[in-house]
Amino acid sequence: MAVPILDLARSFGEIKPEVFATLEKIFDAQSFILGAYVKDFETHCEKYLELPEGSAIACASGTDALLLALMACDIKPGDEVITTPFTFFATSGTIARLGAKPVYVDVDPVSYNINLDQALNKITSKTKVFLPVHLFGQMCELEKVLQEFHGKGLKVVEDAAQAFGSCRILDEGKRIDRAGTVGDIGCYSFFPTKNLGGCGDGGMVVTKDLTLAERLKKLRVHGSGTTYYHEEVGINSRLDSIQAAILDIKLKHLAEWTEQRRKAADYYRLLFTAQGLQEFITLPTETEGNVHIYHQYVIRVKDKRDELMRFLNDNGFAVRVYYPLSLHLQPCFKYLGYKEGDFPVSEMLTREVLALPIFPGLEATEQEALVENVGKFFKQ
Ligand SMILES: *Cc1c(COP(=O)(O)O)cnc(C)c1O
């Protein structure tokens, strides 16, 4: 048996005729950048995320979404941005590119998300933005700290690149906080492997502050409100019609695909529990109130993580490590002066985490075979 970490072909099959019919229209029209397809996709995202009209701004990637968000928060050299060291590089890369300083806070060993209490303690006179990540598709409990950050005059930018559609159900179901819509600006990625992924690069920023939204719209086209007149220096970061049209088709299936991911996560739990492997591995959990979308299903392996990974890979199961090196220990961030031991939980996770295949169309038999092999490895 060969089980890939992600097989996009399985869900693409469902939408292929619709995608190809739409592509034909786009090629006939020969209109490729921004335009009606992008506008429609933005509108549909606003509806999906229950945001006001005009609050979604599509751009060229998740990285650009973060960059645009930080530019709209006026991040300048010397500013500090409080963030997590246990995430994909782009979260910190964009801070550094603007000359600002990533200030790290360790993560929680259960949710893998940034420790919110510790984040509050890191605020200094130079702090401008708090940039948490909703890692692997599970939201941080932002409602607990939002007012404190705002009270200190800081902006909250959410890296929701892995969490489109993830939410927290609060006040006995009376309120739903959706990832990316709680802070001042939310950032999404539509990189092909994300839970809402295109057939190329893509991203989006959202904000309920429509004045800020207007500024973000200008920033994505070189700071220009009227073509060839520039109020400030922006970047070139536009989504194209082809990506927008494909993403718009995929968005219609997202709720159903998310449900499949959640069912697969439940089934992993059932299978691992039946194998009695609790002493060797820790399963991911859902924080109270959360609807985890399982962008990744990441277990922790106390000992022999790398040996288990090799064993599974050799037997046809593609499992991966996200992420093998905490950002505070990356060579490019040496100048920040962090050292090993500064963020023990993040460092522990880099040694213990293992991502298992999870995607729409993953078969129960594939999950069964994988878990059986994990059992074989520990009990042999
Ligand atoms: C993927 C990702 C990004 C960057 O998105 P791109 O579209 O690849 O530029 C940023 N942050 C996190 C947490 C991500 O997973």
Side-chain angles (χ1 to χ4, degrees):
M1 186 178 276
V3 185
I5 187 82
L6 172 66
D7 185 356
L8 290 165
R10 295 188 200 182
S11 46
F12 190 71
E14 271 180 74
I15 58 168
K16 191 171 170 180
E18 195 180 354
V19 167
F20 278 44
T22 310
L23 287 181
E24 194 166 354
K25 282 190 219 157
I26 294 172
F27 282 106
D28 283 344
Q30 292 286 312
S31 166
F32 295 113
I33 301 291
L34 294 175
Y37 284 100
V38 173
K39 184 80 207 127
D40 282 351
F41 176 57
E42 287 171 340
T43 303
H44 298 150
C45 285
E46 286 159 3
K47 293 214 172 96
Y48 196 90
L49 301 166
E50 298 183 339
L51 285 168
E53 205 185 318
S55 52
I57 301 113
C59 62
S61 71
T63 304
D64 276 1
L66 288 162
L67 193 62
L68 287 165
L70 293 174
M71 288 170 80
C73 292
D74 295 308
I75 291 298
K76 287 189 230 6
D79 290 343
E80 293 180 0
V81 177
I82 297 173
T83 190
T84 166
F86 190 65
T87 174
F88 178 61
F89 179 76
T91 317
S92 275
T94 46
I95 299 168
R97 266 187 61 184
L98 292 172
K101 184 179 169 191
V103 173
Y104 294 122
V105 169
D106 211 353
V107 291
D108 176 82
V110 178
S111 69
Y112 317 140
N113 279 328
I114 191 165
N115 184 312
L116 297 170
D117 294 321
Q118 286 181 26
L120 286 167
N121 291 331
K122 284 285 165 75
I123 298 173
T124 71
S125 59
K126 290 181 180 162
T127 312
K128 289 279 167 59
V129 165
F130 175 47
L131 175 44
V133 178
H134 305 301
L135 199 69
F136 302 146
Q138 158 137 275
M139 269 188 85
C140 305
E141 299 164 276
L142 274 188
E143 78 283 355
K144 294 186 174 164
V145 291
L146 199 64
Q147 280 180 351
E148 276 194 76
F149 279 107
H150 281 161
K152 298 215 155 87
L154 307 186
K155 288 264 197 300
V156 175
V157 173
E158 301 170 66
D159 183 341
Q162 303 184 1
F164 192 102
S166 179
C167 66
R168 284 181 55 65
I169 300 172
L170 302 165
D171 304 337
E172 276 130 30
K174 287 193 211 82
R175 187 175 128 206
I176 301 180
D177 274 2
R178 293 176 196 281
T181 73
V182 179
D184 299 280
I185 307 179
C187 305
Y188 305 100
S189 164
F190 305 126
F191 186 76
T193 63
K194 306 288 169 163
N195 68 302
L196 177 59
C199 296
D201 275 309
M204 180 176 274
V205 279
V206 298
T207 178
K208 286 183 246 184
D209 178 340
L210 297 181
T211 312
L212 201 54
E214 283 311 311
R215 179 148 178 232
L216 283 160
K217 262 173 224 165
K218 287 178 195 166
L219 283 169
R220 86 173 156 180
V221 287
H222 295 294
S224 158
T226 310
T227 312
Y228 305 127
Y229 293 85
H230 302 267
E231 281 116 62
E232 63 178 316
V233 178
I235 61 174
N236 166 23
S237 183
R238 303 165 297 208
L239 191 67
D240 59 76
S241 316
I242 291 173
Q243 296 314 322
I246 295 169
L247 286 163
D248 211 20
I249 293 167
K250 288 195 172 190
L251 183 63
K252 291 189 277 184
H253 295 264
L254 187 65
E256 162 205 330
W257 288 342
T258 299
E259 210 34 54
Q260 287 188 39
R261 286 175 184 274
R262 287 177 54 75
K263 284 220 174 88
D266 282 347
Y267 197 44
Y268 270 134
R269 172 163 294 277
L270 192 86
L271 292 168
F272 277 116
T273 310
Q275 283 269 352
L277 294 170
Q278 293 88 323
E279 60 179 299
F280 305 107
I281 61 169
T282 309
L283 302 177
T285 55
E286 245 174 79
T287 310
E288 170 89 30
N290 269 25
V291 181
H292 195 324
I293 56 142
Y294 291 99
H295 171 63
Q296 298 294 348
Y297 188 89
V298 178
I299 64 170
R300 276 172 52 198
V301 186
K302 263 190 227 100
D303 290 308
K304 303 203 176 119
R305 190 267 319 263
D306 291 344
E307 288 89 332
L308 173 63
M309 178 162 65
R310 223 166 297 132
F311 177 81
L312 289 172
N313 286 343
D314 288 349
N315 284 284
F317 301 95
V319 293
R320 295 276 142 72
V321 173
Y322 308 121
Y323 297 92
L325 185 61
S326 187
L327 294 187
H328 71 286
L329 300 175
Q330 294 288 346
C332 68
F333 289 139
K334 223 176 198 145
Y335 71 94
L336 293 171
Y338 291 110
K339 59 184 188 315
E340 212 168 317
D342 282 344
F343 304 104
V345 181
S346 180
E347 292 167 31
M348 174 272 283
L349 290 175
T350 61
R351 290 188 298 270
E352 295 192 359
V353 288
L354 192 63
L356 310 185
I358 192 157
F359 52 86
L362 178 67
E363 302 280 348
T365 49
E366 294 174 314
Q367 293 186 270
E368 288 156 13
L370 186 147
V371 175
E372 199 184 301
N373 273 270
V374 175
K376 235 190 250 170
F377 174 82
F378 284 113
K379 290 170 184 171
Q380 71 198 346

